Amino acid sequence: MCRKQKTIAMQNELTFDVAVGYLVNDRVEPESTQGVRSIDKSETTGGDGVVGCEPDGILEQVVRANNLFSAMERVIRNKGASGIDGMEVKDLQPYLANHYGEVCDSILGGWYKPQPVRRVEIPKPDGGVRMLGVPTVIDRMVQQALVQILQPIFEKTFSDSSFGFRPKRSAHQAINRAKEYYESGCRYVVDLDLEKYFDTVNHGLLLNMIMKTVRNIRVVRLIRKFLKSGADRRPGTTGRSRGTTG
């Protein structure tokens, strides 16, 4: 199958119901096949990661030892609390050293299953609470490994006027840009804030936007699992149809 035909087939395979935010034609690994490698050899040839192309090897890049251990070190440096499994940051390095092959196989094979985040309520200074979801340290490592590969791809799609949460960009640079606008004669500032934006992100819209850029069904499925992992709400745990914060 040529690259163009393969891309069209992948796009047809992934169809989202935007209204409710779930996959219509989802072929997530069933329980009966867990433990079985389900990798298409044609998808492991390695990709160039260029926007508009079809980076077949994204997950292969994610699980490379240098990338995964780099992600592990980042999680350890950031410290942070444990997730619902109780594993602490200090336990991550020996875990990965002993289970690296299992982690790689589960990601490449499609049966990696993120755990629900531990839900924490942070009091706000002005009253009320801010909901925070704390993933397990293993899930944080996998998320960081994904970011390290996907971030350069998505960076090319962002506006030059965007400074928030981007590498090598800061609030000081945004202030300098605003100063340039003022010195050029601009006198009005428009301040907008989307209330609870990350609590209401539509999963279908988000995943469709990701698919249009990376064009890799396995990557999108893994991201979808993180979005749908839900939050630990005792006595039961439920998934989500929108939002990214647990």
Side-chain angles (χ1 to χ4, degrees):
M1 182 181 294
C2 70
R3 179 175 293 269
K4 183 176 180 181
Q5 291 174 324
K6 185 177 177 184
T7 300
I8 295 173
M10 289 171 62
Q11 290 174 327
N12 290 338
E13 178 184 354
L14 187 68
T15 306
F16 292 103
D17 187 325
V18 174
V20 296
Y22 61 80
L23 282 166
V24 176
N25 298 323
D26 190 8
R27 296 191 299 171
V28 175
E29 191 86 358
E31 292 184 3
S32 60
T33 60
Q34 287 185 0
V36 179
R37 291 291 292 271
S38 59
I39 306 172
D40 183 347
K41 291 183 179 180
S42 65
E43 295 183 358
T44 61
T45 56
D48 52 16
V50 177
V51 175
C53 295
E54 186 184 315
D56 300 307
I58 290 181
L59 286 188
E60 284 70 26
Q61 296 176 54
V62 168
V63 301
R64 284 176 184 167
N66 62 337
N67 185 63
L68 205 52
F69 277 86
S70 173
M72 175 204 70
E73 292 172 355
R74 180 68 176 269
V75 172
I76 293 174
R77 286 198 306 270
N78 289 343
K79 301 180 180 180
S82 59
I84 64 170
D85 62 352
M87 179 184 287
E88 298 181 3
V89 170
K90 64 180 179 64
D91 302 320
L92 185 56
Q93 185 170 5
Y95 177 88
L96 185 59
N98 292 323
H99 300 277
Y100 171 72
E102 297 173 27
V103 173
C104 292
D105 287 347
S106 64
I107 293 174
L108 294 176
W111 59 83
Y112 181 87
K113 185 177 181 180
Q115 297 193 57
V117 298
R118 181 167 64 86
R119 185 167 180 168
V120 179
E121 296 182 353
I122 307 298
K124 293 182 178 180
D126 57 349
V129 295
R130 182 184 303 279
M131 303 308 303
L132 179 66
V134 181
T136 66
V137 293
I138 297 173
D139 285 340
R140 298 208 297 265
M141 175 185 67
V142 175
Q143 290 174 5
Q144 179 62 34
L146 269 169
V147 167
Q148 290 171 179
I149 301 302
L150 293 180
Q151 192 168 57
I153 298 175
F154 282 93
E155 268 294 306
K156 301 173 184 178
T157 70
F158 294 152
S159 168
D160 183 56
S161 298
S162 172
F163 293 92
F165 305 101
R166 294 179 63 186
K168 300 180 180 180
R169 293 199 169 218
S170 66
H172 291 93
Q173 291 174 317
I175 293 173
N176 290 334
R177 181 68 62 85
K179 182 173 177 288
E180 292 175 6
Y181 289 147
Y182 178 81
E183 292 173 346
S184 68
C186 298
R187 293 293 181 269
Y188 294 95
V189 175
V190 179
D191 184 14
L192 298 175
D193 183 29
L194 299 178
E195 184 178 5
K196 297 182 178 179
Y197 173 73
F198 290 106
D199 296 332
T200 58
V201 172
N202 182 284
H203 291 174
L205 290 173
L206 176 61
L207 292 171
N208 269 325
M209 292 175 68
I210 294 173
M211 185 62 178
K212 288 179 180 178
T213 301
V214 302
R215 300 187 181 185
N216 188 304
I217 185 69
R218 296 186 300 156
V219 172
V220 174
R221 283 176 178 163
L222 179 57
I223 294 174
R224 179 180 183 271
K225 287 181 180 180
F226 278 109
L227 291 173
K228 298 293 185 181
S229 62
D232 185 47
R233 300 178 176 89
R234 312 253 177 222
T237 298
T238 58
R240 299 169 292 181
S241 61
R242 64 178 187 173
T244 62
T245 57

